[in-house]
Amino acid sequence: MAILGPVDDMHVALDFGSIPHAQAYDVLVSTIHPRPIAFVSTVSAEGHQNLSPFSFFMVGGSNPPSLAFSPSLGSRGEKDTLRNMRETKEFVVNLVHRAMAEAMNSTSKYFPPEISEWEVAGLTPAPSLRVTPPRVAESQVQLECRLFEIAEHGHEPGSARYVIGEVLVAHLAPGIWNGESVEQDKVRPIARMGGPNYLDTEALEFFQMLRPL
């Protein structure tokens, strides 16, 4: 491990230019958390439906309303989610709650494009209003989005593909919207921590899920 000389008496400085990218990944995901999960549904130009989770996820702006997430480049190249968005320019981000956590986790395994993760997970597709990809009916918050831009940073496995989407429609479960604003104490998605660890923000408890092989 490349450790730079002590900057102060309180910290260790790791040189990210000198450590393996897998180790850099571990440091980042083990420190930058909790992270909400973007459970993204897309449809390919041929009509194949895809459903995949991404924890590199954040709000963008509000005028226009936007969000961003990053499907990192894998060992097989770009993920189906990216290819589908390049083709159709549409996607839906569904937040993940504790009751659907195991179903979400089952979709993180690699499947060929013709296999529908919806059937693997046993989740229910609900029609969207402004885009073609369906929403996850079990999710309490669903955001229909139009692709704005995909920014590439790097070309090797582990490099980022920053997806910026404009939010067209928000679907909220009954009880979350009071007619004027969101009841924030009722929005309790799970959050990704480092390794196999997650945080249940409703129960304020940690739990673990191993990624399926």
Side-chain angles (χ1 to χ4, degrees), residues 21-164:
H21 77 81
Q23 191 171 41
Y25 171 86
D26 182 66
V27 172
L28 291 172
V29 300
S30 298
T31 55
I32 303 175
H33 62 60
R35 303 184 306 277
I37 298 168
F39 202 18
V40 180
S41 57
T42 57
V43 178
S44 72
E46 293 77 21
H48 297 305
Q49 295 187 356
N50 182 268
L51 190 59
S52 298
F54 303 95
S55 69
F56 293 179
F57 169 44
M58 61 173 285
V59 174
S62 60
N63 186 24
S66 64
L67 54 77
F69 71 98
S70 178
S72 301
L73 201 64
S75 58
R76 296 181 176 88
E78 289 193 342
K79 296 178 170 65
D80 292 340
T81 297
L82 268 173
R83 287 195 294 271
N84 293 349
M85 287 187 298
R86 290 188 192 279
E87 293 173 355
T88 68
K89 317 299 184 188
E90 296 179 338
F91 61 97
V92 177
V93 170
N94 307 272
L95 296 191
V96 180
H97 306 274
R98 185 64 183 93
M100 54 185 289
E102 284 75 17
M104 175 276 297
N105 190 47
S106 71
T107 69
S108 62
K109 180 180 178 179
Y110 169 76
F111 295 99
E114 64 273 14
I115 300 298
S116 172
E117 289 84 358
W118 291 89
E119 296 180 6
V120 171
L123 294 169
T124 309
S128 297
L129 297 178
R130 300 279 298 279
V131 299
T132 300
R135 300 171 288 122
V136 177
E138 288 80 1
S139 172
Q140 295 181 19
V141 178
Q142 309 139 358
L143 305 169
E144 298 184 29
C145 300
R146 177 172 54 225
L147 177 65
F148 173 73
E149 184 178 351
I150 299 175
E152 301 183 1
H153 184 196
H155 301 285
E156 300 299 324
S159 61
R161 299 292 182 267
Y162 296 105
V163 175
I164 304 171

Side-chain angles (χ1 to χ4, degrees), residues 96-99 140 184-191 198-207:
V96 180
H97 306 274
R98 185 64 183 93
Q140 295 181 19
Q184 296 186 27
D185 61 335
K186 296 181 180 178
V187 183
R188 291 287 184 262
I190 64 171
Y198 293 78
L199 173 64
D200 182 338
T201 61
E202 183 172 8
L204 295 181
E205 294 177 348
F206 293 103
F207 66 100

